[in-house]
Amino acid sequence: QLHLVESGGGLAQPGGSLRLSCAASGSSMDYCAIAWFRQVPGKEREAVACVSRGRLYSDYARSVRGRFVIVRDNAKNTVHLQMNSLKPEDTAIYYCAARPNVGSILENDYDYWGQGTQVTVSS
């Protein structure tokens, strides 16, 4: 059973940066694709970024492409989301999720979820 815990959220100014971390325990995430989702109250959860199990493939939502980078550190059983050039519309609760092998942008495809971390972008 894979247990995921996010950290690194907080308050950032527009144009600033934050780095989120997703630490896994209970099992190795080496064989999992990992994704970051975000959700604003009253809206559906949306995929932000995902990375394949072998780090060969990553993909990003159009709204964050060029600003966010997903990086996995298998040695530390952790995945990071580096968020640069933050905008107020990036404000949301960010969740990491895992599923075996192949990545997906579909929320229902993921088996394991963290509890979420709040990111607020405001001046």
Side-chain angles (χ1 to χ4, degrees):
Q1 186 77 8
L2 195 64
H3 181 60
L4 304 176
V5 177
E6 302 94 337
S7 61
L11 176 65
Q13 292 191 340
S17 298
L18 283 174
R19 188 175 84 153
L20 305 184
S21 297
C22 174
S25 62
S27 182
S28 172
M29 60 165 54
D30 288 6
Y31 302 102
C32 291
I34 306 296
W36 286 93
F37 288 78
R38 66 186 182 187
Q39 188 171 27
V40 175
K43 293 189 176 181
E44 291 187 355
R45 198 174 297 186
E46 64 168 345
V48 174
C50 66
V51 61
S52 66
R53 61 177 276 188
R55 283 180 283 187
L56 297 177
Y57 175 81
S58 59
D59 199 11
Y60 300 88
R62 188 172 299 178
S63 59
V64 306
R65 197 167 292 156
R67 300 189 297 121
F68 290 11
V69 179
I70 186 169
V71 178
R72 63 186 305 156
D73 184 346
N74 286 350
K76 295 184 178 180
N77 224 21
T78 299
V79 173
H80 304 286
L81 184 67
Q82 179 66 42
M83 306 188 297
N84 302 320
S85 302
L86 283 164
K87 303 176 180 180
E89 51 263 43
D90 294 320
T91 296
I93 299 174
Y94 284 71
Y95 300 88
C96 68
R99 70 187 300 265
N101 298 320
V102 181
S104 170
I105 62 170
L106 300 178
E107 176 181 357
N108 290 340
D109 285 346
Y110 285 84
D111 302 303
Y112 306 101
W113 290 84
Q115 82 290 348
T117 186
Q118 175 71 48
V119 170
T120 303
V121 183
S122 174
S123 55

